Each structure stands twice: as structure tokens, then as C-alpha cells.
Amino acid sequence: MATLDEFKAMRDAVPMSVQGELFKLMTSDPDASIQRMVEIAAEKGMTLTVEEVRGFLRQMDDDDEFDDFELDAVALAAIAGGGGQLGSS
């Protein structure tokens, strides 16, 4: 099971252009964005579930780590589990 620090390190290793694309996708299709984060983690040799990613994002948002951009209500609902569920992958 990955830790929050490992998730953050993986996120930091992703190019800013990809991070921007993930953010845009988060606002239009949160489930697809979270699934893509799971796929990116797998490409980097890290095994994460959809629920783990949601939990990490929720924790990072609680810690105000998204000061560089603001998550909208749709994205926050998806992180909190209020969006459509993909289940644990």
C-alpha cells in the first residue's frame, strides 16, 4: 500500500503539462481523472486503487496543498466519493 508521501513524490515526477491535463479532466470527468492517476502510478511501478487516490487527494486538499489551483465542487464531490463510483481497481 502506497503512502501519501509516495503519492506526492509520484505526482511531483509527473510533468506539469500532464498535471494540468489531469486537473482539467478532474473538472469535467472526475472518475476518469482519478482512473488516469491510477494508470500513471502503475506506469511508474506503484500500485494504487481508485479509493486510495481519492483519499490522498482528499487529504492533500484538507492540508491546503492545492493552493496553485482551486478544486471545483464537482472535483471535490468526486474526491469525497460523491461522484460516480468506479470501485477499487
Side-chain angles (χ1 to χ4, degrees), residues 29-81:
D29 189 348
D31 289 333
S33 179
I34 291 171
Q35 183 60 44
R36 181 67 184 122
M37 290 179 209
V38 169
E39 293 167 3
I40 290 169
E43 291 167 5
K44 298 195 175 291
M46 181 183 296
T47 302
L48 291 173
T49 66
V50 167
E51 291 307 316
E52 286 173 321
V53 171
R54 278 197 180 106
F56 291 147
L57 293 174
R58 186 178 312 115
Q59 187 171 352
M60 291 170 70
D61 185 53
D62 289 347
D63 293 340
D64 296 324
E65 293 190 38
F66 296 118
D67 289 340
D68 53 340
F69 53 86
E70 186 174 321
L71 294 178
D72 67 11
V74 173
L76 289 174
I79 291 169

